[in-house]
Amino acid sequence: MSEMLSGADMLVRALQDEGVEYLFGYPGGAALHIYDAIFRQQKVEHILVRHEQAATHMADGYARATGKPGVVLVTSGPGATNAITGIATAYMDSIPIVVISGQVPRAQIGTDAFQETDMVGVSRPVVKHSFLVKDCAEIPRTVRTAFHIATTGRPGPVVIDVPKDTTDPAVTAAYEYPETVALRSYKPAARGNGRQIRKAAKALLGAKRPIIYSGGGVVQSDGGLALQELARRLGAPVTNTLMGLGAFPGDDAQCLGMLGMHGTYEANMAMHHADLIFAIGARFDDRVTNNPAKFCPDAQIVHVDVDPASISKIIAAHIPIVGDAANVLKELNAVLQAEMAKHPELPDQQAHKVWWGRIDEWRAAHGLDHGSAPSTNGVILPQQVVKSLYRATGGEAYVTSDVGQHQMFAAQYYKFPMGRRWINSGGLGTMGFGLPAAMGVQFAYPKATVACVTGEGSFMMNMQELSTCLQYGLPIKVVCLNNQALGMVKQWQDMQYGGRHSHSTYSDSLPDFKTVAEAFGHVGFRIDNPADLDAAMDEAFSPKLKDKVVFVDVWVDPDEHVYPMAVKGGSMRDMYLNKITTSQQGDYM
Amino acid sequence: MSRRILAVLLENEAGALSRVIGLFAQRNYNIETLTVAPTEDATLSRVTITTEGSDKKIEQITKHLNRLIEVVKVLDLQESPCIEREMMFVKIHAEGPARAEVKRTCDIFRGQIVDVTASAYTVQLTGASDKLDAFLRAIDQSAVIEVVRSGVSGISRGDKVLSA
Ligand SMILES: Cc1ncc(C[n+]2csc(CCOP(=O)(O)OP(=O)(O)O)c2C)c(N)n1
Ligand SMILES: [Mg+2]
């Protein structure tokens, strides 16, 4: 005999049966039956946030760091709409989260009832799938299906909208948690097509100027080691996307760093001149390709992605492979091993030597030296802050970021040793993501060092969560590159709008973040002298402050720009390299 | 650019159709006509959509439709021989000498007059969309009072079937 439970109890029991550790949420009328069910159990720990957007980012950060789905609970109406930005953020980066929203009772749906929002409708364009619960007996299967959809294939957010009366404690149904999910219309491909994989192997072995362009899909499928094996076998250079950083170690000699709009000179030049691009778990985002019409003219394209809709969407693939990145990499490695045993002359070592010769010249000519020299005017350069952080944490921290110049500096200068260490909102570019995402990571790994590299603008979009940090004892280290401006906006205005800083500065009205941190019960530093930077960073990460939130407010050069930067409408080799030099048409170097 | 007919098998569930339509809006695809009704299997609906687009665009639309969880199958009907039909009602002003003319045109197009008043005929016409267009061109434009078209539905010829 299965147990008879109310909808609310079934919902919470289903989360237990899914193995959910944390539920990030915020209560309200439509969710109160569920909150009562949470109160009467111990297995799922509910984390009370200060804003529903932050709850979604916490779940998202938790998911990115662990690979397990993050779970959110919000009430109807404003609770649900506040969650939308975080759902969209997870959607754009294909992150598995499950968002449970309260809804008005079934009989009131469609009547403009108090706190009624059509959550399924509002969230529709930014979810992988959504459910409206129609009967309490459906709840176990709905939860099971939601987790299945969120975590398989190309992962993504799933919403379960739960009308209040389906969680009524007075109405019970038999609880049984389904073991399996059968959906006739949803069968994501796991393994790539063998013939296509053999074709890809042949193309890779025949290439004279190959490059591996690896994206977030490799991180998410935990394909880093298989990727490294592939790169070693072929001796090919690897460039990681913003979402893919770490899957190939950032400090490895074969790593060219990030590519794209603010990618390294060598990565973008190598892409442009390659004769074969092996794209895996990446989607030829416009921030990578620059003008698709001018994209890498000589390259044959092998494109591996779990989502067929990503393949040939922007750039036509010569060899498309639909499948999970890690699985395809493993199969490809096996094929390559066999092929290379048969053809010891492949790949062409002489051609590779020439190719690496060119790459090394690009590297030498314009690595990330820009911003590496100590400043001469007594002002801290933002790049140096990231380098200092890298040094102080031994490259071993989980680093989250917000959106803007600081994000790009973090991506460029922190060399991530493995996937899941770098956590940022790449697709949606959501300011306010960094702190709550860091909290999600810290919940997952209480002992890990978790740093949030932020800008003062982004930080103020979710700083209320400093209170949540205190409540749950989350010792996040916040490193704020304080340029007293919406720096990235200001940079575009400098470069494209004649330096007219329309609404991108507010230096006369910024709070003193050190005092803000202290007001929330934390430790705050303010650094504005280059000579103090390293010592302050060391102290922030010292054992003494291990259990504390430390806010390191570093005042950096407000006039610094992020370089390289793609020239709008150009090819990948067209970059601004600093305030005076442009690599138009490759004539630079 | 060409006109394409997509047949979509969809779980017959509340909200499923809104995802299909939402997808077209969200991705900036055009819906020319849309028909939907349950199939011989009551758990499935069949949607027929006509749209305009290059091969590349149609491929993208098909892939994105397939990504929707409730979409069971998608078929580009014109990939193989198919039959397409659309039904139309036209209410036409028909008085005096024009009355006989309307009747004649209707006969030529094998239409049926399904309702009659002293001053108007209501004509029912079935055929491929271009036949319906031709009928509308053949009659006096100023006499047309109301046009109702069902949108296209279609089926593959021969043994080919679209099923779950
Ligand atoms: C929610 C949101 N609103 C607006 C933007 C547009 N935007 C991108 S970067 C940026 C400036 C960010 O300022 P700050 O956090 O101080 O970072 P900085 O660029 O100065 O390092 C803005 C406004 C965004 N990405 N997200
Ligand atoms: Mg700033």
Side-chain angles (χ1 to χ4, degrees):
Chain A
M1 249 303 276
S2 44
E3 227 174 317
M4 298 299 286
L5 295 178
S6 73
D9 285 322
M10 282 202 269
L11 185 62
V12 176
R13 174 70 74 83
L15 297 179
Q16 293 176 357
D17 285 346
E18 272 304 322
V20 173
E21 293 177 277
Y22 296 108
L23 182 55
F24 303 96
Y26 205 79
L32 286 186
H33 296 327
I34 305 170
Y35 270 89
D36 193 59
I38 290 169
F39 190 85
R40 292 182 276 100
Q41 58 88 53
Q42 261 85 51
K43 282 195 186 148
V44 178
E45 187 181 350
H46 179 275
I47 306 301
L48 178 65
V49 301
R50 301 295 180 268
H51 188 296
E52 291 89 348
Q53 181 190 347
T56 54
H57 293 329
M58 282 179 214
D60 179 322
Y62 173 90
R64 290 182 204 235
T66 61
K68 295 190 276 185
V71 192
V72 175
L73 174 61
V74 296
T75 189
S76 67
T81 54
N82 272 350
I84 292 291
T85 300
I87 295 171
T89 303
Y91 180 73
M92 290 297 277
D93 290 343
S94 310
I95 305 302
I97 64 171
V98 174
V99 177
I100 300 161
S101 51
Q103 183 52 282
V104 301
R106 284 168 292 182
Q108 284 184 22
I109 290 179
T111 65
D112 301 316
F114 177 64
Q115 296 195 327
E116 178 185 0
T117 298
D118 172 11
M119 180 56 169
V120 167
V122 169
S123 64
R124 201 210 69 240
V126 292
V127 294
K128 183 170 174 189
H129 198 54
S130 51
F131 297 91
L132 174 64
V133 172
K134 290 184 212 74
D135 189 272
C136 77
E138 290 174 8
I139 287 176
R141 178 159 299 279
T142 303
V143 172
R144 181 78 187 85
T145 311
F147 277 83
H148 175 69
I149 291 172
T151 53
T152 52
R154 179 177 182 169
V158 176
V159 162
I160 309 176
D161 201 28
V162 189
K164 185 168 185 180
D165 57 327
T166 66
T167 58
D168 187 341
V171 182
T172 60
Y175 179 84
E176 215 157 325
Y177 202 59
E179 301 240 311
T180 54
V181 182
L183 289 167
R184 61 178 159 184
S185 52
Y186 176 71
K187 296 189 185 72
R191 297 183 48 182
N193 176 299
R195 222 184 54 202
Q196 292 296 91
I197 289 175
R198 282 193 297 280
K199 258 203 220 168
K202 228 172 141 191
L204 280 168
L205 287 175
K208 293 188 169 12
R209 302 186 306 280
I211 184 164
I212 298 171
Y213 151 40
S214 162
V218 178
V219 173
Q220 290 221 51
S221 67
D222 293 305
L225 291 178
L227 174 71
Q228 288 169 44
E229 186 185 330
L230 178 84
R232 303 275 180 257
R233 251 180 223 296
L234 294 167
V238 182
T239 175
N240 290 314
T241 68
L242 179 66
M243 294 309 298
L245 293 177
F248 195 76
D251 63 356
D252 192 285
Q254 270 173 260
C255 186
L256 307 190
M258 182 169 76
L259 80 170
M261 177 169 274
H262 294 297
T264 65
Y265 179 68
E266 55 269 35
N268 288 339
M269 291 300 271
M271 284 289 286
H272 187 85
H273 292 95
D275 69 348
L276 182 110
I277 293 173
F278 179 76
I280 178 138
R283 59 186 177 94
F284 294 87
D285 182 80
D286 55 79
R287 286 294 190 266
V288 163
T289 60
N290 206 358
N291 184 350
K294 297 184 184 168
F295 181 75
C296 305
D298 303 330
Q300 198 189 5
I301 312 276
V302 180
H303 191 179
V304 185
D305 204 285
V306 72
D307 179 8
S310 284
I311 296 178
S312 298
K313 180 175 66 174
I314 311 289
I315 301 291
H318 302 96
I319 307 179
I321 302 176
V322 178
D324 172 83
N327 286 348
V328 171
L329 283 167
K330 282 176 204 151
E331 291 187 33
L332 189 56
N333 279 324
V335 174
L336 280 173
Q337 186 170 24
E339 282 295 306
M340 288 167 84
K342 267 191 270 172
H343 302 282
E345 75 283 5
L346 294 176
D348 181 340
Q349 294 305 331
Q350 187 49 35
H352 276 212
K353 216 175 133 204
V354 175
W355 180 225
W356 272 108
R358 290 178 75 183
I359 291 171
D360 287 338
E361 278 172 41
W362 291 324
R363 261 185 179 155
H366 217 95
L368 289 175
D369 305 342
H370 177 80
S372 288
S375 67
T376 46
N377 57 355
V379 186
I380 299 174
L381 284 175
Q383 297 91 333
Q384 292 173 330
V385 183
V386 178
K387 290 181 129 189
S388 180
L389 169 69
Y390 181 62
R391 186 196 48 75
T393 55
E396 287 297 330
Y398 286 85
V399 178
T400 71
S401 93
D402 276 289
V403 177
Q405 292 183 318
H406 63 274
Q407 175 193 25
M408 292 301 131
F409 291 133
Q412 290 177 330
Y413 290 89
Y414 201 102
K415 312 281 179 214
F416 293 94
M418 61 179 81
R420 301 197 181 281
R421 289 287 181 83
W422 162 244
I423 286 166
N424 86 131
S425 165
L428 198 66
T430 309
M431 291 171 66
F433 175 80
L435 175 64
M439 294 163 68
V441 177
Q442 192 82 74
F443 274 115
Y445 302 118
K447 296 218 161 64
T449 303
V450 183
C452 166
V453 175
T454 188
E456 79 299 324
S458 295
F459 189 74
M460 287 191 286
M461 284 209 177
N462 262 326
M463 60 193 250
Q464 76 284 345
E465 299 306 321
L466 285 174
S467 167
T468 315
C469 286
L470 187 70
Q471 183 173 357
Y472 296 97
L474 301 171
I476 311 291
K477 307 296 181 272
V478 181
V479 177
C480 180
L481 308 192
N482 188 340
N483 53 9
Q484 305 104 64
L486 303 175
M488 189 57 95
V489 171
K490 193 162 148 255
Q491 172 169 350
W492 283 51
Q493 289 169 339
D494 284 338
M495 295 174 76
Q496 293 170 26
Y497 297 91
R500 293 182 296 282
H501 296 160
S502 178
H503 301 274
S504 55
T505 58
Y506 39 43
S507 58
D508 52 0
S509 50
L510 283 173
D512 172 9
F513 287 103
K514 177 179 185 305
T515 321
V516 169
E518 287 165 1
F520 276 97
H522 306 309
V523 176
F525 295 163
R526 178 177 159 166
I527 315 297
D528 49 20
N529 183 345
D532 299 337
L533 177 63
D534 279 344
M537 200 67 85
D538 285 338
E539 190 181 346
F541 289 92
S542 67
K544 191 181 69 171
L545 295 176
K546 189 165 73 51
D547 299 328
K548 288 281 191 187
V549 171
V550 184
F551 190 105
V552 188
D553 182 26
V554 190
W555 281 50
V556 297
D557 186 347
D559 296 323
E560 182 58 312
H561 288 174
V562 183
Y563 292 109
M565 177 165 169
V567 177
K568 195 167 176 279
S571 71
M572 285 198 76
R573 70 176 163 181
D574 301 325
M575 292 166 265
Y576 301 105
L577 299 173
N578 51 50
K579 284 185 181 163
I580 35 191
T581 321
T582 307
S583 71
Q584 286 277 14
Q585 308 309 326
D587 58 7
Y588 175 82
M589 146 84 221
Chain B
M1 289 285 275
S2 62
R3 171 176 168 277
R4 303 292 272 274
I5 309 171
L6 298 176
V8 182
L9 275 188
L10 193 64
E11 296 287 354
N12 189 1
E13 278 167 13
L17 185 62
S18 72
R19 286 185 222 272
V20 172
I21 294 167
L23 168 71
F24 274 74
Q26 182 185 350
R27 304 250 170 209
N28 206 13
Y29 306 143
N30 184 31
I31 296 182
E32 203 94 354
T33 74
L34 172 81
T35 69
V36 54
T39 66
E40 73 283 359
D41 172 351
T43 67
L44 289 171
S45 308
R46 179 155 170 155
V47 184
T48 311
I49 301 167
T50 57
T51 182
E52 289 265 316
S54 59
D55 286 353
K56 185 172 176 225
K57 189 155 182 181
I58 299 299
E59 185 185 331
Q60 273 300 310
I61 295 178
T62 306
K63 284 175 169 176
H64 278 112
L65 281 170
N66 273 315
R67 236 163 67 136
L68 296 177
I69 307 291
E70 287 143 332
V71 167
V72 181
K73 283 263 168 67
V74 182
L75 176 67
D76 180 348
L77 265 185
Q78 288 144 317
E79 260 174 18
S80 62
C82 68
I83 306 165
E84 61 163 299
R85 290 292 181 270
E86 193 178 354
M87 208 259 274
M88 173 169 77
F89 293 119
V90 195
K91 196 168 283 186
I92 306 168
H93 193 80
E95 269 181 318
R99 201 165 168 94
E101 179 62 29
V102 170
K103 172 87 173 64
R104 253 197 310 280
T105 314
C106 176
D107 289 342
I108 294 170
F109 282 84
R110 298 213 190 94
Q112 287 166 279
I113 294 172
V114 292
D115 192 39
V116 179
T117 70
S119 60
Y121 282 143
T122 299
V123 175
Q124 173 192 313
L125 204 66
T126 307
S129 305
D130 53 0
K131 172 178 155 184
L132 308 193
D133 296 341
F135 177 79
L136 290 175
R137 279 195 303 271
I139 56 171
D140 176 10
Q141 295 303 299
S142 64
V144 173
I145 301 165
E146 190 176 4
V147 175
V148 183
R149 297 174 72 142
S150 64
V152 173
S153 63
I155 192 164
S156 300
R157 285 189 184 275
D159 295 336
K160 187 163 180 174
V161 288
L162 180 62
S163 62

